[in-house]
């Protein structure tokens, strides 16, 4: 089992806030620091002091950490041309010594595109398919050979396909709950399938869809790592938990009803064991208050040692 922090910096976090989380997570034994990729706050609060760019942030963290994995959960295809994205991710992978993972999705937040003048096509799934084909194709092209692609949305002609990531097979994360097309993409391109924020009764079906898609193309379903992300409100006491949940506008009882990760070390360990029973191998603890470094300290010092590995 692996355990990562997952943050939403568009909700209000400087680079310094994210650096503090990432370095604390590394010191306390977490396996990774991942962040969303948004330019506008769509949740509670005013989002001050404003957004930070995901891959610029990860480039900085690559030089200021030494062990933890770094990545997006997830980057939308609307923000970057796939040729540029492949260069960015490969460069940050080299800057980190081979610790980067790319989460890629179709994007969903129309308002942030309108705010920053970014095109937001009504249909984006085909963009995702082509971007996955291009990014993985560029990285897989042998050195001194070229890569060309002629799609509906993108055309690349005799691209030198450089630079290459440090990792021979840089991990690609795909998430989503669609019953057919998403599992097919996972089977073709992903090293990890992220179930997102599922209700408990949704988990078996989501996993079964991916396993079926893998079997249809002759891929071993066990070669796909299963993960999920859950909003987390942890604390030594119920008062600590309630204080953290209140910042998200919920009570601990409401958070538990929504299948979030809630409670002290013992309750969280029980929850993680439940996920592991389905074959989940990585858990992302989504922390919403990115100035609450004590939340990271508690999770790392008192919860993490109680969790299965």
């Amino acid at each position: 089992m692996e355990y990562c922090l997952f943050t939403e910096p568009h909700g209000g976090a400087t680079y310094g806030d994210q650096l503090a989380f990432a370095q604390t997570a590394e010191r306390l034994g977490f396996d990774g620091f991942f962040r969303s990729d948004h330019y506008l706050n769509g949740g509670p609060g005013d989002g001050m002091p404003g957004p930070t760019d995901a891959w610029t942030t990860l480039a900085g963290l690559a030089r200021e950490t030494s062990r933890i994995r770094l990545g997006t959960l997830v980057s939308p295809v609307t923000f970057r041309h796939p040729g540029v994205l492949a260069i960015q991710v490969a460069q940050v992978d080299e800057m980190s010594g081979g610790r980067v993972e790319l989460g890629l999705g179709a994007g969903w937040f129309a308002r942030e595109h309108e705010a920053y003048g970014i095109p937001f096509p009504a249909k984006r799934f085909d963009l995702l398919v082509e971007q996955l084909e291009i990014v993985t194709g560029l990285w897989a092209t042998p050195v001194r050979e070229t890569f060309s692609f002629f799609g509906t949305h993108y055309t690349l002609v005799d691209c030198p396909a450089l630079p290459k990531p440090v990792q021979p097979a840089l991990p690609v994360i795909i998430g989503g709950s669609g019953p057919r097309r998403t599992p097919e993409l996972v089977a073709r391109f992903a090293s990890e399938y992220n179930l997102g924020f599922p209700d408990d009764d949704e988990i078996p079906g989501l996993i079964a869809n991916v396993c079926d898609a893998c079997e249809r193309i002759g891929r071993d379903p066990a070669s796909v790592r299963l993960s999920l992300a859950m909003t987390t409100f942890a604390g030594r006491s119920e008062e600590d938990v309630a204080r953290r949940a209140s910042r998200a506008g919920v009570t601990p009882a409401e958070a538990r009803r929504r299948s979030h990760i809630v409670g002290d070390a013992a309750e969280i360990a029980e929850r993680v064991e439940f996920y592991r029973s389905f074959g989940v191998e990585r858990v992302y603890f989504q922390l919403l208050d990115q100035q609450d470094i004590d939340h990271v300290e508690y999770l790392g010092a008192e919860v993490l040692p109680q969790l299965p590995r």
Side-chain angles (χ1 to χ4, degrees), residues 160-243:
L162 296 172
K164 303 299 185 192
V166 171
Q167 300 173 86
L170 191 145
V172 173
I173 304 167
I174 298 174
S177 57
R180 183 180 63 84
R181 296 190 74 185
T182 294
E184 289 172 354
L185 283 189
V186 171
R188 289 177 60 193
F189 298 107
S191 55
E192 176 178 323
Y193 171 55
N194 183 264
L195 285 72
F197 299 81
D199 291 332
D200 291 352
D201 59 0
E202 294 177 317
I203 295 174
L206 292 171
I207 294 173
N209 289 339
V210 168
C211 290
D212 291 346
C214 287
E215 290 170 353
R216 284 195 294 271
I217 67 169
R219 178 176 178 180
D220 181 1
S223 67
V224 179
R225 176 166 57 193
L226 300 175
S227 70
L228 52 74
M230 283 293 175
T231 308
T232 300
F233 306 110
R236 297 179 184 86
S237 67
E238 192 69 1
E239 290 75 19
D240 289 339
V241 173
R243 172 171 50 82

Side-chain angles (χ1 to χ4, degrees), residues 7-14 18 33 35-38 47 50-52 290:
T7 67
E8 304 271 7
H10 59 279
T14 64
Q18 295 168 76
F33 175 87
R35 56 156 289 165
S36 61
D37 193 353
H38 287 292
T52 52
Q290 290 154 98

Side-chain angles (χ1 to χ4, degrees), residues 3-309:
Y3 305 100
C4 303
L5 293 190
F6 171 45
T7 67
E8 304 271 7
H10 59 279
T14 64
Y15 172 75
D17 294 327
Q18 295 168 76
L19 175 62
F21 263 45
Q23 290 182 330
T24 303
E26 181 167 80
R27 172 172 58 82
L28 293 172
F30 284 94
D31 296 289
F33 175 87
F34 286 71
R35 56 156 289 165
S36 61
D37 193 353
H38 287 292
Y39 291 133
L40 195 69
N41 181 33
D46 58 11
M48 293 297 289
T52 52
D53 180 76
W55 286 100
T56 302
T57 298
L58 293 172
L61 296 179
R63 305 304 298 167
E64 299 195 77
T65 59
S66 60
R67 179 189 57 79
I68 55 172
R69 308 290 295 178
L70 301 166
T72 51
L73 203 65
V74 294
S75 288
V77 296
T78 50
F79 283 2
R80 302 167 186 91
H81 188 283
V84 174
L85 178 64
I87 292 172
Q88 288 176 310
V89 176
Q91 182 178 1
V92 178
D93 195 48
E94 189 271 333
M95 294 169 70
S96 72
R99 294 183 284 124
V100 161
E101 304 184 17
L102 171 64
L104 195 61
W108 61 271
F109 192 10
R111 176 68 188 102
E112 71 183 339
H113 293 74
E114 179 185 36
Y116 284 94
I118 303 168
F120 188 70
K123 296 182 178 181
R124 300 176 302 282
F125 200 89
D126 289 342
L127 295 177
L128 176 59
V129 175
E130 290 194 12
Q131 287 218 6
L132 286 164
E133 291 176 336
I134 291 167
V135 170
T136 58
L138 287 168
W139 291 340
T141 299
V143 175
R144 295 187 179 85
E145 294 186 15
T146 60
F147 175 85
S148 295
F149 181 87
F150 303 94
T152 302
H153 303 283
Y154 305 104
T155 299
L156 285 73
V157 179
D158 294 335
C159 178
L162 296 172
K164 303 299 185 192
V166 171
Q167 300 173 86
L170 191 145
V172 173
I173 304 167
I174 298 174
S177 57
R180 183 180 63 84
R181 296 190 74 185
T182 294
E184 289 172 354
L185 283 189
V186 171
R188 289 177 60 193
F189 298 107
S191 55
E192 176 178 323
Y193 171 55
N194 183 264
L195 285 72
F197 299 81
D199 291 332
D200 291 352
D201 59 0
E202 294 177 317
I203 295 174
L206 292 171
I207 294 173
N209 289 339
V210 168
C211 290
D212 291 346
C214 287
E215 290 170 353
R216 284 195 294 271
I217 67 169
R219 178 176 178 180
D220 181 1
S223 67
V224 179
R225 176 166 57 193
L226 300 175
S227 70
L228 52 74
M230 283 293 175
T231 308
T232 300
F233 306 110
R236 297 179 184 86
S237 67
E238 192 69 1
E239 290 75 19
D240 289 339
V241 173
R243 172 171 50 82
R244 290 183 169 123
S246 69
R247 294 173 185 171
V250 298
T251 66
E254 289 170 332
R256 289 182 173 97
R257 283 198 299 272
R258 297 180 188 181
S259 303
H260 296 323
I261 293 176
V262 185
D264 61 12
E267 187 174 357
I268 292 173
E270 181 178 353
R271 191 73 185 153
V272 169
E273 283 286 4
F274 172 75
Y275 297 140
R276 188 167 74 150
S277 71
F278 293 101
V280 170
E281 299 173 84
R282 176 185 271 184
V283 175
Y284 297 88
F285 297 103
Q286 184 198 43
L287 304 186
L288 299 179
D289 185 345
Q290 290 154 98
Q291 287 74 43
D292 188 0
I293 198 70
D294 289 340
H295 203 180
V296 182
E297 291 278 358
Y298 174 70
L299 281 168
E302 300 190 33
V303 177
L304 204 57
Q306 307 302 317
L307 302 182
R309 285 289 187 177

